[in-house]
Amino acid sequence: PEETVTSSFASFIHAVRPEHLSEIVCHRSKRMILDSIGVGLVGSTTHVFDIALKYCLLYSSVAVSNVYGKPGVKLSPTLAAFTNGVATHSMDFDDTWHPATHPSGAVLPALLAASQMLPPNSKPNGLDFLLAFNVGLEVQGRLMHFSTEAHNIPKRFHPPSVVGTMGSAAATAKLLSLSMAQCTHALGIAASLAGAPMANAATQAKPLHIGNATRLGLEAALLAARGMEANPFILDDISGCSGFSAFYSIYQPKPLSTPNEHHEFLLEKQDIAFKRFPAHLGMHWVVDAALSVRNLFINYAGSFSPSLIRTIVLKIPVSKYINRPFPNSEHQARHSFQFNACTALLDGEVGLSSFTESSIHRQELRELLHKVVVEHPEDNVANFDKMYGEVALLLKSGDVLTGKCDTFYGHWRKPLSRESLLKKFRSNASHVLPEEKVETIITMVDNLENLSDSSQL
Amino acid sequence: FLPQTITGNFANVIHGLNTNHLTDLIIQRSKRMILDTLGVGLLGTSTEVCQKVKQYSKIYSSDISSTIWGHLDFRLPPLYAAFVNGVAVHSMDFDDTWHPATHPSGAVLPAVIALSEAFPQKKKISGLDLLLAFNVGIEVQGRLLHFSSEARNIPKRFHPPTVVGTMGSAAACAKLLALNQMECKNTLAIAASYAGAPLANAATQTKPLHIGNAAKHGLEAACLASQGLQGNNQILDMESGIGAFYTDYNPQTLPTLQSYPWLLDRQDVAIKRFPAHLGTHWVADAASSVRRKLVKNSDNLLLLDKIEKVIVKVPEVKYVNRPSPNSEHEARHSFQFVACSALLDGSMSVHSFTSDNIQRPALQELLCKTQLQHPSDNKPSFESLYCEVTVLLRDGSTISHRCDTFYGHWRKPLTKEDLEKKFQSNASKVLPAEAIEGIIETVYNLEKVEDCSVLSMFLSGQSARVLPEKLHL
């Protein structure tokens, strides 16, 4: 039978084995799992999470799956995935990849929910779990390589809602050990559930993109498992009738090689960025740049004195949805170069508390925001691999101090150290869990490949 | 106050429309749509795709529940009831079609009926409330379709019910829930993030899920908005909002509420006479006419071996061009199949698509002799397309017929009798006669019904001895 792109994907999902996971891939993906859980746990304290949970509780009858941070609560698997996905992305604190998407949040909640669905005698072990997780990542990465559009920060469709749904479907299909035909149909059904417009980024609805990606991908796999059929050429180029290509204007699909002895996972070549504070990834460059110029300023003037500053110049790439001079809500603030730069300048750091209502509306911050001017140098491309952030303080005295950041700490070129990653996790998780639970999770994820029953997670 | 954005304007209208705005023509047309949709949905509950989604959805039973059409034995939470019933409606591609192209009722009706049964404070919803909400859902879909010239033609990229249908369902549910203006705006914003499925799943078993999901997700968006969830309040204005689904996008504000001009007033829907893609209805009428002429010339016998070639002139629509379909889903999306089927049998029906009929040797033989042609004046738009079927006989003679407007199209609507006949035929597969009569009565008098839960009761198969009281006629 001719090899179509779609069937190559289904083959891969179906045939890949734990042995194919390299050490680097295991290591990196475990870091991602830990970070994602932590981010989800702290996310369970947000308002958007409350709304999602209240909604889902209406349907709680066959409730077998747990919800981050809520020990007594159980929901049906897809709704648990939905809620946990919303939690993960609620503060824009979750990981980011290149080409751009938030990979883990779209996959992990579905797998956690699905593993609780399975009967006690056929629970997947930690290694199966890790493999399924990586299948979910790999499929997302491969799909993004089908379009050059995907290399830059998105404009039309929010990537997690496009590739994330597919990744979740693939991962769940793997965990449930679906046949090759079923894997194909899971992808096809998922495509009909994919795709949300960018406009809801920087609003309270954005976390739903990840929540729905993980939930609907799970749903697609569950439907495929029950025999639902879709278009078996969904990933291929079908002229006159769009499949997955509907989401892109340029689309060049390529088949995945079937894994024999060695499959090179994309995660091997391209690591992930972890965020140090809960805001859009682009903010991390300007914050690091702002922190370095702040140090210069303190050396120069003895302390941080805003009154000495005439203008603050931000040199950033062009991206409308993260260029907000005066954000009004936490969601907008997380998507504002200006806000994050000024917060870093004022406070010397950006963290969870930077985005509270009172922090956002502070007088000193507003004053500083008024001094900001934005520039878009031609060489600053809207691309997470190539962009930079530069902050220049034009002082009333005439002096100019500059800070520039090419690679922030947490970016894949300068990954967080184990200590930093654990610190982030502990800080997040302790918002809702007691210390011993926090440590238990760390140990479990560390030894994931040796865990006999991954639903314990 | 004057809303500054189109999104705000839509929210204003959804919020501000009330039952006084419904004109007589609107009421009449929408009740026909409701009846047809119910019949189609009831029939659809027996399909394979519907069995699968019922099985799937059963994992979510809870105490708040809504009726699954045709079932007394179990109920589902409103979200999944909307989903399952929506799938049923589109399962055979038997539901209504509008211009610009979409399947408007299936995305809206299952959602509003499911919601009406599950009201938070057990509030009574009247037939008129239901009718209004339904029309809000239809209107919003139509208005959105007018924002892009792409929408005028048969689609190529995104399946329209998944784009505008989700928005329509959301608007209808927001109306039924009596959300305030801000909540209506947020409903639209949240719904947009659920919208959009690629066309490639048309002609597969997954296509019915497009309508099921449109209904379900629109309902979910309204519920989330009523819980306070917020989205982008310029979702209809921005290119990166609903504009993301179109290459050319020009949103417009809606007319003022004063004597509101509904689109359904100006543009009726097409109701299908057999369960297949709308484009095939022109083909069926043309082919049936050719057959009549053929048998007249030869003592009422269709002599297949005398046929050399069958030429079918249609617009270019790739996903309905299937020379040899293998499944019922493919057959419903095949110009060639319907042409040959109609030639052989004289007319099309629900039974034309069974696998026995699909595989018959006579049909397969005729398919081999069939080819499509795409004249340049035949545009792929349900408003202007035509079909010409020509049969070339071995003796050199040809018999042709051209169909410009099939019976059931908005230019030639089904009579009341034929609409009812279609409903009866469909509903009788799963409901007892009394329930069928009950639905017809209730829908015909919908604007006078005080408590529309009687409709759901009939839909589940219960017959009511309390009929007169409930209807308060």
Side-chain angles (χ1 to χ4, degrees), chain A residues 10-157:
Chain A
S11 285
F12 167 74
I13 295 167
H14 181 249
V16 74
R17 298 269 167 275
E19 304 84 75
H20 292 113
L21 294 171
S22 71
E23 268 186 44
I24 292 187
V25 167
C26 273
H27 168 77
R28 286 178 173 172
S29 53
K30 287 193 298 187
R31 280 162 59 91
M32 290 160 75
I33 289 174
L34 190 70
D35 185 68
S36 194
I37 291 175
V39 158
L41 287 169
V42 75
S44 71
T45 60
T46 60
H47 181 49
V48 59
F49 174 82
D50 270 337
I51 295 178
L53 181 60
K54 221 168 33 170
Y55 169 68
C56 293
L57 280 171
L58 301 173
Y59 306 130
S60 53
S61 184
V62 181
V64 291
S65 304
N66 286 96
V67 170
Y68 284 156
K70 305 272 174 198
V73 177
K74 280 196 189 247
L75 292 175
S76 64
T78 54
L79 293 181
F82 174 62
T83 314
N84 291 333
V86 167
T88 306
H89 201 46
S90 60
M91 299 164 125
D92 228 305
F93 210 177
D94 46 329
D95 54 24
T96 311
W97 212 9
H98 179 69
T101 194
H102 300 293
S104 302
V107 174
L108 189 61
L111 291 179
L112 290 171
S115 67
Q116 288 192 288
M117 258 180 95
L118 292 166
N121 53 340
S122 55
K123 293 281 187 206
N125 62 36
L127 195 53
D128 292 331
F129 190 90
L130 197 56
L131 177 64
F133 181 76
N134 277 288
V135 165
L137 300 179
E138 181 73 358
V139 164
Q140 291 185 66
R142 293 286 170 182
L143 288 174
M144 284 191 293
H145 281 284
F146 287 179
S147 175
T148 47
E149 271 170 50
H151 286 264
N152 297 335
I153 298 175
K155 285 189 199 174
R156 216 155 58 103
F157 291 106

Side-chain angles (χ1 to χ4, degrees), chain B residues 175-460:
Chain B
K175 189 66 196 167
L176 203 63
L177 286 169
L179 300 188
N180 66 37
Q181 207 251 19
M182 179 57 77
E183 289 166 334
C184 286
K185 248 197 295 203
N186 285 320
T187 300
L188 292 171
I190 299 164
S193 277
Y194 287 81
L199 199 51
N201 277 326
T204 76
Q205 200 182 47
T206 297
K207 189 188 189 202
L209 267 65
H210 288 186
I211 287 278
N213 278 324
K216 161 206 206 196
H217 292 147
L219 171 53
E220 186 161 286
C223 290
L224 286 167
S226 84
Q227 307 248 12
L229 190 72
Q230 299 167 343
N232 187 321
N233 60 14
Q234 296 198 37
I235 197 71
L236 300 184
D237 299 79
M238 297 172 73
E239 254 175 35
S240 59
I242 278 289
F245 298 104
Y246 299 100
T247 44
D248 75 297
Y249 182 70
N250 294 300
Q252 316 280 327
T253 51
L254 294 172
T256 51
L257 285 170
Q258 202 162 35
S259 68
Y260 189 82
W262 301 82
L263 286 173
L264 189 59
D265 228 83
R266 304 200 298 244
Q267 169 73 59
D268 197 1
V269 291
I271 305 250
K272 292 179 177 171
R273 281 183 2 255
F274 57 88
H277 186 273
L278 199 75
T280 63
H281 279 61
W282 280 265
V283 175
D285 273 20
S288 305
S289 299
V290 166
R291 184 205 149 85
R292 271 196 293 279
K293 293 181 192 170
L294 269 175
V295 302
K296 205 165 59 170
N297 300 346
S298 48
D299 303 315
N300 284 343
L301 284 171
L302 183 71
L303 300 164
L304 283 177
D305 0 308
K306 292 228 169 135
I307 297 179
E308 168 90 25
K309 233 200 273 197
V310 178
I311 299 177
V312 181
K313 290 191 181 148
V314 284
E316 182 157 8
V317 182
K318 292 228 171 106
Y319 76 106
V320 192
N321 175 349
R322 290 168 202 276
S324 76
N326 281 320
S327 68
E328 68 173 276
H329 302 284
E330 290 184 0
R332 303 188 199 281
H333 295 77
S334 165
F335 288 126
Q336 296 92 327
F337 177 84
V338 171
C340 294
S341 222
L343 274 172
L344 273 179
D345 303 333
S347 69
M348 300 293 294
S349 76
V350 170
H351 304 289
S352 311
F353 300 92
T354 61
S355 59
D356 284 341
N357 274 334
I358 294 175
Q359 303 301 336
R360 331 173 241 177
L363 184 74
Q364 294 294 322
E365 216 184 284
L366 206 51
L367 277 172
C368 292
K369 302 181 185 177
T370 306
Q371 69 183 82
L372 296 185
Q373 279 178 8
H374 305 302
S376 54
D377 70 336
N378 202 347
K379 304 286 175 219
S381 149
F382 291 137
E383 174 58 36
S384 55
L385 80 93
Y386 67 85
C387 172
E388 193 177 301
V389 171
T390 306
V391 169
L392 234 75
L393 297 173
R394 286 208 199 273
D395 64 11
S397 58
T398 66
I399 314 239
S400 248
H401 189 90
R402 173 171 164 150
C403 170
D404 283 297
T405 304
F406 66 86
Y407 177 46
H409 190 265
W410 44 83
R411 288 191 298 262
K412 209 194 272 182
L414 291 192
T415 61
K416 176 167 176 311
E417 292 68 38
D418 285 336
L419 186 76
E420 235 176 84
K421 225 165 107 191
K422 177 184 173 185
F423 178 78
Q424 293 263 12
S425 161
N426 285 343
S428 61
K429 300 279 193 314
V430 287
L431 290 184
E434 292 156 343
I436 297 180
E437 285 310 313
I439 296 178
I440 296 179
E441 271 298 301
T442 311
V443 173
Y444 276 159
N445 295 293
L446 199 52
E447 63 272 45
K448 305 192 200 101
V449 170
E450 269 197 26
D451 180 357
C452 69
S453 67
V454 60
L455 185 60
S456 303
M457 194 186 59
F458 289 132
L459 279 170
S460 70

Side-chain angles (χ1 to χ4, degrees), chain A residues 22 53-54 59 120 131 169 171 224 242 248 252 325 380 382 392 403 409 444:
Chain A
S22 71
L53 181 60
K54 221 168 33 170
Y59 306 130
L131 177 64
S242 301
Y248 300 99
Q252 283 140 348
N380 202 349
Y409 179 47
M444 232 186 238

